[in-house]
Amino acid sequence: MRIKRGFFYQLRDRKVRAAYIFLIPILAWFIIFIFAPMFYAFYLSFLDWNILSPATEFVGLDNYKAVFRDKVFWKSLRNTAYFAVGSVPIGIVVSLCLALMLNRKLALRAAYRTAYFIPVVTSMVAVSIVWKWLYQPTFGLFNFILERLGLPSQGFLTSPKQAMPSIILMSIWKGVGFNMVIFLAGLQAIPRMYYEAARIDGASNWKLFTSITLPLLKPTTLFITVISMIGSLQVFTQVYVMTTGLPTGLGGPNYATRTVIMHIQELAFKFLKMSYGSAMAWILFIIIMFFTLVQMRFLRSGTEY
Amino acid sequence: MSKFKIVCLSIIAVALLINLFVVNTPVAAGEVKFWAHYHPPRIERNHDEIKRFEEANPDIKVTLEHFPYGELWDKLLPAIAAGTGPDFIHVHGSWTTLFVQSNAWEAIPEDVLSKDYIEEYWLPSSLPSYYRDGEYYGLPYATGGEGVYLNVDLFSEVGLDANQPPKTWPEAIEAGKKLTKFDEAGKMMQSGWALIDSHLYWDTTLFQFGTDIITPDGKKAAFNNPQGVAAFKWRRDFITEHKLQNFEFLGAYEAFQQAKAAMACFGPWYGDLLVKDYPDVKFTTSLVPVLKEGDDPVVSTIGGGWGYAVNSRSKNKEDTWEFFKFMVSKEEQIFMFMVEGNPVRKDVIDDPKIPELVEKTPYFKAFIDSMPYYKYVGDKVNEMLFNRAFEMAWTSMVQEGVSPEDATAKAAADVDEVLAEKK
């Protein structure tokens, strides 16, 4: 029979005490830098505060109502959703394909793995600046190649229709190595005996993939999908860097690439609407939490072999 | 006491000590913290000014910190909010409303510089941007100014003389067409007139078409009228009809620096940058063209220009005001002549040293000549948002085919929203 012991009773055990002591620094970090600011932002979202003045006024739900009336917020949310829907599924498929290719006995396999991982460890700002010049319509490398192939040059970041796909492409290129490495670890954890048994039964490669690989990769796929979705809904750096200084203005032509985080950053730090920005940040948090829970519910593994 | 409790108490004690000694370092007496954005010619001169000031005031030490343009605002807000901000700030006149509404800037005390003194010596068009509710909250040392930069070599390549610049916009557009180049695929390789991302702000265009921008009470946009629509159409046609630049090409700064733009509008500060960093670009300057012959030029002061303000939370106000008086004095404004914009003190403009300085640096002349035509736009409240309304209108007309009437109305509505932020 298991006897439940209270927290303070458990602390009498030296090993338990040691465990909690080692946890204190990271817990303190989480409380000071994550939870405390989050709850302070929640408190601020019910006030009217412009960061410079110590004076604050309680405004109740006014900031939240203003968010729902803000047309730029809805445009930013659509752009953010566009980015997420465009980058996450394609990124997962590409990284899974790469992982499947690298999960074989290949010459220079380590070199390929390194090559695909290098963009991951490169600074996002540096990569964004380079890609911004690659996309430059008049002097950029991409249009140079298109013209050499006899194709018309494109506007890329300066075109309202092409701006977001251009950023999605760059983001996939940069992030695919990270997901590939995680998928590789997942693939290597699948016992080979399942494949051997299935081959003996005459299963084709496609059947092996759909009946063994994919189901047993579900926990890995769930992890990658959740992390990628969270990251994509918070996209900021590459959009900011790639659209700063463009003739079409920050956020792309007619806000074509303006995301929610960009809108929050501008509201809070350029227009001094700290409380309004806090309300918007909490709405985004709720949206991300909702999608995370939905994904975890539907992608939860039911496969046991 | 058990070991566990000792460890917990030690961690708390260390955290408290760190907070006491590291976070709350007091400001040394006689120290003035000065923040500015990075513009190499001005920062060089700021260091000289600080040296001279410290020699005359040995008990005061000034520390200058500079940040890339655009980052000064981002650093300033949290620093002021946290109480760790600078004492003395390099500011722009368009920032005044937001900072004064938040009580972040200190009004100039009468015993430092009286209102009578300020109004006697400063150009009237330069003062409104720093004036709120009966007080001056800073002073400009330079006002925004626009002049045309012309690339001498690109002009001579097509048989034109940059020293005989176009005086009207029809002439400028004709010259611009000769100076614009496209490759075989129709891609722009050189802009005849780089208007996008230049200093020819919408303010000047709207003034030239005969409309005000903000109503006298400062509450609403004043350009949603036939003259405003004509101005918006003119700006659209610059790209779609005359094809002198487009949104796919380089912005005006990059284009002119790389000698891929024959003409563009910037302030006087740009000349110094070209001379030092792009010596191969041979240029001259002229007044902004007028709409038709016989019109008087008009030049926007672009929100009032650069100046200085004192943080209301400064812990060393007495020394900071001493430094403020020094920095806005006639001698220092002559020293800073044309580094950032046109001079704003009448006694500077009338000083005999000015013609000598203009003779040594011929490109200054166009900016000096433009000074009688300054026009103050009004309080934009938030200049970035205000200007963005026009940028969005422009891209919507050019890239999405929105009519000038609709674009003007939308820009006016956006501007009304910005102006409504003023308390």
Side-chain angles (χ1 to χ4, degrees), chain A residues 74-127:
Chain A
W74 289 109
K75 182 151 180 126
S76 306
L77 193 60
R78 279 196 297 277
N79 291 339
T80 307
Y82 182 178
F83 179 85
V85 167
S87 63
V88 171
I90 298 174
I92 290 173
V93 166
V94 171
S95 53
L96 178 58
C97 291
L98 288 174
L100 288 167
M101 278 174 5
L102 290 180
N103 197 34
R104 301 173 181 188
K105 285 193 172 71
L106 279 178
L108 302 175
R109 190 169 76 164
Y112 287 126
R113 215 162 42 206
T114 306
Y116 286 120
F117 201 71
I118 283 173
V120 176
V121 300
T122 312
S123 149
M124 178 60 93
V125 172
V127 166

Side-chain angles (χ1 to χ4, degrees), chain B residues 67-113:
Chain B
F67 307 92
Y69 185 77
E71 281 188 31
L72 175 60
W73 177 277
D74 293 340
K75 300 270 188 224
L76 205 52
L77 296 186
I80 290 179
T84 57
D87 303 292
F88 184 77
I89 321 165
H90 178 243
V91 298
H92 194 268
S94 59
W95 301 0
T96 305
T97 298
L98 288 176
F99 279 83
V100 168
Q101 273 178 185
S102 314
N103 300 316
W105 290 357
E106 181 96 338
I108 302 175
E110 275 290 306
D111 59 347
V112 170
L113 285 174

Side-chain angles (χ1 to χ4, degrees), chain B residues 246-257:
Chain B
N246 57 46
F247 285 107
E248 288 75 36
F249 194 62
L250 299 170
Y253 289 97
E254 279 163 341
F256 199 84
Q257 281 154 206

Side-chain angles (χ1 to χ4, degrees), chain B residues 31-232:
Chain B
E31 187 181 320
V32 173
K33 232 180 350 174
F34 171 16
W35 281 15
H37 82 255
Y38 185 64
H39 175 53
R42 175 176 33 77
I43 294 295
E44 251 181 67
R45 293 186 188 214
N46 282 157
H47 282 298
D48 287 340
E49 289 179 304
I50 289 169
K51 198 169 155 199
R52 277 203 300 285
F53 176 77
E54 287 178 348
E55 279 164 10
N57 298 274
D59 294 337
I60 306 176
K61 181 161 171 42
V62 180
T63 313
L64 170 61
E65 276 182 66
H66 50 80
F67 307 92
Y69 185 77
E71 281 188 31
L72 175 60
W73 177 277
D74 293 340
K75 300 270 188 224
L76 205 52
L77 296 186
I80 290 179
T84 57
D87 303 292
F88 184 77
I89 321 165
H90 178 243
V91 298
H92 194 268
S94 59
W95 301 0
T96 305
T97 298
L98 288 176
F99 279 83
V100 168
Q101 273 178 185
S102 314
N103 300 316
W105 290 357
E106 181 96 338
I108 302 175
E110 275 290 306
D111 59 347
V112 170
L113 285 174
S114 68
K115 288 192 198 67
D116 289 338
Y117 178 89
I118 293 170
E119 286 161 16
E120 186 185 341
Y121 285 99
W122 263 257
L123 284 178
S125 58
S126 70
L127 290 174
S129 50
Y130 287 87
Y131 185 77
R132 295 290 180 277
D133 303 324
E135 300 284 352
Y136 288 100
Y137 285 88
L139 282 174
Y141 67 86
T143 193
E146 297 157 323
V148 182
Y149 284 72
L150 306 103
N151 184 308
V152 173
D153 292 336
L154 295 183
F155 263 69
S156 58
E157 271 173 22
V158 297
L160 294 173
D161 182 4
N163 292 304
Q164 304 288 329
K167 293 193 169 27
T168 66
W169 276 115
E171 287 171 15
I173 287 168
E174 274 317 298
K177 284 178 184 172
K178 289 181 189 159
L179 289 155
T180 304
K181 289 184 184 164
F182 297 90
D183 68 6
E184 308 82 35
K187 198 166 65 174
M188 183 174 284
M189 301 307 289
Q190 178 174 297
S191 162
W193 186 295
L195 189 61
I196 301 169
D197 198 31
S198 77
H199 261 228
L200 188 71
Y201 288 110
W202 283 76
D203 312 348
T204 298
T205 305
L206 287 163
F207 283 148
Q208 287 191 329
F209 273 83
T211 175
D212 277 332
I213 296 159
I214 301 175
T215 52
D217 62 3
K219 291 189 178 166
K220 289 198 131 337
F223 57 84
N224 192 8
N225 49 42
Q227 298 94 316
V229 172
F232 273 64

Side-chain angles (χ1 to χ4, degrees), chain A residues 164-214:
Chain A
M164 189 56 95
S166 303
I167 292 178
I168 288 172
L169 177 65
M170 177 282 234
S171 304
I172 291 171
W173 174 86
K174 185 166 186 326
V176 78
F178 181 78
N179 293 342
M180 175 199 76
V181 162
I182 299 176
F183 269 129
L184 258 177
L187 286 169
Q188 284 164 11
I190 298 173
R192 295 184 64 78
M193 63 181 182
Y194 295 141
Y195 293 108
E196 285 161 8
R199 282 198 197 285
I200 289 168
D201 288 342
S204 64
N205 282 339
W206 179 250
K207 199 73 183 149
L208 290 175
F209 177 69
T210 52
S211 301
I212 298 176
T213 308
L214 273 186

Side-chain angles (χ1 to χ4, degrees), chain A residues 11 17 21 24 50-54 133 136-139 147 153 155 158 160 245 247-248 253-255 258 266 269-273, chain B residues 4 70 73-74 77 80-81 98-99 102 187-189 196 247-251 254 260 313 382 384-385 388 392 395-396 399-400 421:
Chain A
L11 286 182
R17 282 206 307 273
I21 287 170
I24 284 172
N50 71 0
I51 197 176
L52 286 178
S53 170
W133 280 104
Q136 211 286 329
T138 308
F139 304 105
E147 283 159 23
S153 57
T158 59
T248 41
N254 282 329
Y255 288 159
R258 188 179 180 91
E266 200 173 70
F269 293 100
K270 302 283 185 209
F271 310 138
L272 312 189
K273 293 183 181 181
Chain B
F4 177 68
W73 177 277
D74 293 340
L77 296 186
I80 290 179
L98 288 176
F99 279 83
S102 314
K187 198 166 65 174
M188 183 174 284
M189 301 307 289
I196 301 169
F247 285 107
E248 288 75 36
F249 194 62
L250 299 170
E254 279 163 341
K260 295 199 188 300
R313 283 154 224 188
N382 187 309
M384 190 171 63
L385 256 189
R388 184 180 293 168
M392 301 274 286
T395 52
S396 71
Q399 294 186 318
E400 294 174 9
E421 291 292 319

